[in-house]
């Protein structure tokens, strides 16, 4: 590069959950804001092509979306919009149903977008859809690291476990980070983490060449302020940085930056 | 400075090619074109299994890596079959190693005879083979694998002028990982697991990886929640 800075490539982090409704997108958006506060250039890409809702969480009505980029109606740069938390967002917008199946076209287009945004940011968060569909697994496969968001609910833990199992078996993932959302008391995240690791050790690791390690990136408290922020379509980190949830997200961001 | 061709020590290389029955390149000896021909012949030789002439383990793994990259971009399914000759030790023990070698060659030929030109047949171990089938629809995986198994079963293989044997193979198969982050190693491992299953279920069988892997068994679920630690929470 001419300015003497080394060419950098963003760290791509897929944020996934298995089960829907665990606050994945809200966590992703607030985490992006926390990273931005620490001086990082952050992009959140709404990879939930079927049922995109990052725009809802961020209260944005974008003129141009990933949909337009895929269809060739917009340049990639024009569809990257500033979000309230000081980061950038690439929204999926509605009408992406035609792209919710993993056709060769979708593969090529996603790969192309990911390759191109990499040089302009320090961190790219890929907010995947719920479930373990082909599109979700393909999106995750584009990422350097994976964060699985789970809550202490049995259904969420089961789906998180299924996701972890599939990623270990089909993508050779040997390290996956865990964020436990909506914990009702401190330390509950650690319990969820231990339970998941224990079952992985018993049923998954014997089938792998090297053991899969789950790393607890952090826990986020069930905080009444979250519900209000979601309803008002605000980032909690922006409106109430002092609330327990916001402070926990800042801790998450710090850990993420520590590598 | 590039060494001139007469300075290169090619005696061993040329001897190796002669021994393998590969004719020397037709170009004038010592010319660049001739040298390129020698290199190409050596590359070909190091890509093949000496006994059967099919791809060896090294070129097989290269082909797998290429295929994985292609699949991630195109999404076209690709099937990997791994095959093992059943009771091969028995063939060796009863009829001798020369007969064993003839059987291995005959199995390789049977495989070549029943796959498409674009498919790659490789010998990846003593009595173990692999077939890479690009662009093979998942719905046809079982049919293709079964055809291969039956072809071997129904091909009498001569081990002397008077004697022919019928051998069988166990076949394991897995479709290519459709994701960007994957490795040939992982693909082989998955197909191998199915091969073990076919062996365990009685041999002369085909086992393909079930399409839906992400099942969480009742046992796993029980262990996930079977913890007194959760009783602390109401």
């Amino acid at each position: 590069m001419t300015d003497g800075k080394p060419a950098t490539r963003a760290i791509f982090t897929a944020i996934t959950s298995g089960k829907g409704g665990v606050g994945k997108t809200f966590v992703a958006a607030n985490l992006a804001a926390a990273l931005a506060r620490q001086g990082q250039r952050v992009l959140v890409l709404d990879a939930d092509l079927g049922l995109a809702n990052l725009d809802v969480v961020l209260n944005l009505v974008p003129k141009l979306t990933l949909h337009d980029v895929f269809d060739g109606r917009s340049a990639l740069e024009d569809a990257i919009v500033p979000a309230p938390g000081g980061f950038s967002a690439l929204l999926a917008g509605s009408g992406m149903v035609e792209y919710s199946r993993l056709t060769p076209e979708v593969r090529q287009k996603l790969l192309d977008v990911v390759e191109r945004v990499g040089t302009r940011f320090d961190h790219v968060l890929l907010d995947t859809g719920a479930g373990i569909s082909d599109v979700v697994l393909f999106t995750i496969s584009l990422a350097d690291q994976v964060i699985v968001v789970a809550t202490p609910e049995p259904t969420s833990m089961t789906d998180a476990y299924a996701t972890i199992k599939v990623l270990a078996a089909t993508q050779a993932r040997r390290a996956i980070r865990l964020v436990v959302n909506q914990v009702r008391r401190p330390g509950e995240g650690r319990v969820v983490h231990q339970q998941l690791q224990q079952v992985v050790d018993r049923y998954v690791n014997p089938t792998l060449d090297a053991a899969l390690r789950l790393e607890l990136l952090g826990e986020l408290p069930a905080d009444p302020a979250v519900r209000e922020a979601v309803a008002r379509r605000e980032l909690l980190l922006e409106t109430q940085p002092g609330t327990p949830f916001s402070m926990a997200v800042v801790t998450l961001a710090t850990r993420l930056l520590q590598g | 400075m590039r060494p001139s061709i007469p300075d290169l020590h090619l005696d061993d290389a040329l001897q190796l090619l002669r021994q393998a029955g590969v004719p020397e390149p037709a170009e004038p000896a010592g010319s660049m074109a001739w040298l390129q021909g020698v290199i190409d012949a050596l590359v070909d030789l190091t890509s093949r299994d000496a006994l059967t002439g099919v791809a060896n383990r090294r070129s097989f793994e290269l082909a797998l890596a290429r295929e994985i990259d292609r699949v991630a971009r195109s999404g076209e399914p690709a099937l990997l079959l791994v095959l093992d000759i059943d009771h091969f030790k028995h063939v060796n023990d009863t009829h001798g190693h020369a007969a064993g070698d003839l059987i291995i060659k005959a199995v390789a030929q049977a495989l070549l005879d029943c796959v498409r030109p674009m498919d790659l047949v490789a010998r990846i171990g003593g009595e173990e083979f692999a077939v890479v089938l690009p662009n093979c629809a998942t719905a046809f995986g079982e049919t293709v694998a079964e055809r291969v198994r039956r072809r071997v079963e129904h091909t009498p293989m001569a081990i002397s002028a008077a004697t022919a044997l019928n051998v069988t193979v166990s076949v394991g198969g897995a479709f290519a990982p459709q994701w960007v982050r994957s490795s040939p190693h992982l693909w082989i491992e998955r197909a191998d697991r199915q091969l073990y299953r076919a062996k365990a279920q009685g041999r002369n069988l085909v086992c393909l990886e079930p399409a839906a892997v992400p099942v969480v068994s009742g046992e796993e679920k029980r262990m996930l929640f079977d913890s007194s630690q959760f009783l602390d929470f109401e």
Side-chain angles (χ1 to χ4, degrees), chain B residues 49-54 85 88 98-113 123 126 129 157-158:
Chain B
D49 171 51
L51 178 64
T52 60
V54 300
I85 304 174
F88 184 69
D101 281 357
L102 287 171
I103 292 292
I104 286 173
K105 283 167 84 165
V107 168
Q109 191 57 50
L111 297 179
L112 287 172
D113 288 346
R123 181 177 175 217
F129 290 88
M157 299 173 180

Side-chain angles (χ1 to χ4, degrees), chain B residues 2 10 28-29 37 55 97 101 108 130 139 157 205 209 211 224:
Chain B
R2 193 203 300 234
L10 291 171
H97 288 276
D101 281 357
M157 299 173 180
L205 277 176
E209 187 180 75
L224 206 46

